[in-house]
Amino acid sequence: MKRRRFIKTGLITTTAVSLSPLSLLKSKNCNLTSSDILGPYWTENHPNRTILANPGEPGTRIYISGSVKANDCEIPLANAIVDVWHANDNGCYTMFMECNSGNPTEDPYNLRGQMVTDENGEYAFETIWPGHYSVRPRHFHYKVTTPAGLELVTQCYFYDDPQVDDAWIENHEGLVIPLENNNDELFGVFDIVVDQEVGQVGLKGEPTLMAQEPTLHSAYPNPFNNNILISFSLSITSHVSVSIYDIKGKWITNLSDKQMSLGAHTLSWNGKEATGQDVPSGAYLIVLKAGKHTRSKKISLLK
Ligand SMILES: [Fe+2]
């Protein structure tokens, strides 16, 4: 019963998709889903499943569905990987913390899972509403990888959360969703639009997709004290160099200079020069070069 209603919730909110001429599609107002920080609690190899919380997991049961679409907001991306992870009801993350409740089988991947979008680009999962931790609002973490290897790291927040105020909504446009409460269970829809270019339409009418690359995500934590995590994703295998410069353009160190495969990568910098000397507090630049593309981000070291 719950399951049927859940699936229906997902379906009725999804607009019927048709392969309209590209000129028509591009004239529509279409917003890409913003990226958000990866955070420190992502791990590789989340199991493939749509029920992330076991039946006894404490917390309010929540059902999320949605779609993944290309940057025309119309063409669904089938076979995209939607990777979701979140805190438990007490704001505790398995694999990184001792979480005492709701995991009788000691599943190391409790409250984590990957699903694959269907032919309509749709995904759905069931879990519990994540709790607060620190000053962070309730949230799901998402990492979406398209078949062409484009990756979007983002988060989903909720209007029903008292910690989500007007400023938060303004700074996280498109990432805050309403929830419907039905018999103390929550239902929400989070649709995702990735920056995947819609190319020519193939002979059978199916779209050919081309990825844009590379993406340098927000580093975490920033400002940092000891160590900063630098995440980026590549849509094709490329020669990648990642370097740190100070704000005046002086080279500090290299973190990578080699061929890297498509997908997500994370490096860390410990605030030291190539010689091993600590650098002083201040602003620094991460410069990522992948093939012909260069991306940079400013970071701050606070001691
Ligand atoms: Fe988090």
Side-chain angles (χ1 to χ4, degrees):
M1 183 63 183
K2 286 176 189 169
R3 198 80 198 144
R4 272 207 301 276
R5 193 173 67 220
F6 173 40
I7 289 165
K8 191 176 165 214
T9 305
L11 290 179
I12 56 171
T13 51
T14 305
T15 319
V17 171
S18 60
L19 291 175
S20 316
L22 291 176
S23 54
L24 272 180
L25 296 178
K26 291 201 167 177
S27 66
K28 291 185 179 172
N29 192 11
C30 172
N31 293 321
L32 297 176
T33 301
S34 317
S35 62
D36 203 337
I37 58 169
L38 181 71
Y41 302 126
W42 179 73
T43 54
E44 292 181 331
N45 303 321
H46 289 161
N48 204 305
R49 59 185 172 193
T50 55
I51 301 179
L52 312 189
N54 69 62
E57 183 71 26
T60 306
R61 218 69 192 171
I62 186 168
Y63 300 82
I64 300 290
S65 59
S67 61
V68 179
K69 289 184 176 165
N71 65 6
D72 63 349
C73 293
E74 290 283 342
I75 291 189
L77 294 177
N79 299 316
I81 298 168
V82 178
D83 193 350
V84 176
W85 65 105
H86 66 89
N88 78 1
D89 192 47
N90 291 322
C92 183
Y93 277 87
T94 51
M95 307 196 80
F96 293 87
M97 306 170 186
E98 281 292 319
C99 303
N100 291 325
S101 61
N103 190 8
T105 59
E106 298 193 351
D107 170 11
Y109 292 100
N110 189 33
L111 310 180
R112 298 164 181 271
Q114 287 187 357
M115 49 235 90
V116 177
T117 54
D118 66 13
E119 70 273 18
N120 297 318
E122 292 177 3
Y123 73 93
F125 64 90
E126 170 188 339
T127 187
I128 54 104
W129 203 21
H132 295 116
Y133 63 90
S134 177
V135 294
R136 300 222 65 213
R138 298 172 188 268
H139 58 278
F140 288 119
H141 289 272
Y142 275 71
K143 186 150 81 74
V144 178
T145 309
T146 70
L150 180 77
E151 193 174 273
L152 172 71
V153 174
T154 191
Q155 298 186 36
C156 170
Y157 306 95
F158 314 97
Y159 288 111
D160 307 65
D161 182 347
Q163 290 196 21
V164 168
D165 56 16
D166 289 348
W168 190 274
I169 293 167
E170 196 174 318
N171 291 327
H172 298 81
E173 198 180 349
L175 304 186
V176 185
I177 64 167
L179 292 173
E180 186 186 324
N181 188 322
N182 198 326
N183 292 327
D184 293 329
E185 293 180 330
L186 299 170
F187 296 82
V189 175
F190 185 52
D191 290 328
I192 294 163
V193 179
V194 298
D195 195 9
Q196 179 92 67
E197 279 188 356
V198 179
Q200 64 189 63
V201 174
L203 286 177
K204 293 178 184 169
E206 72 273 19
T208 304
L209 299 168
M210 299 182 317
Q212 297 192 340
E213 56 115 11
T215 306
L216 177 58
H217 305 296
S218 298
Y220 184 89
N222 189 20
F224 74 106
N225 177 244
N226 294 316
N227 216 45
I228 187 163
L229 292 177
I230 297 161
S231 303
F232 56 95
S233 47
L234 305 172
S235 56
I236 53 170
T237 297
S238 319
H239 186 96
V240 173
S241 78
V242 179
S243 309
I244 305 292
Y245 290 83
D246 73 11
I247 206 71
K248 292 177 185 161
K250 181 189 158 210
W251 175 78
I252 303 293
T253 189
N254 272 358
L255 303 179
S256 173
D257 191 6
K258 63 179 183 183
Q259 191 86 355
M260 297 181 92
S261 57
L262 69 81
H265 300 273
T266 301
L267 299 171
S268 67
W269 181 45
N270 56 6
K272 292 183 189 297
E273 292 185 31
T275 57
Q277 294 247 316
D278 288 336
V279 298
S281 293
Y284 294 87
L285 282 178
I286 307 164
V287 178
L288 162 73
K289 290 184 185 163
K292 297 177 193 162
H293 304 273
T294 302
R295 301 282 184 272
S296 64
K297 266 203 184 354
K298 195 170 147 189
I299 54 176
S300 297
L301 171 62
L302 279 182
K303 289 188 171 172

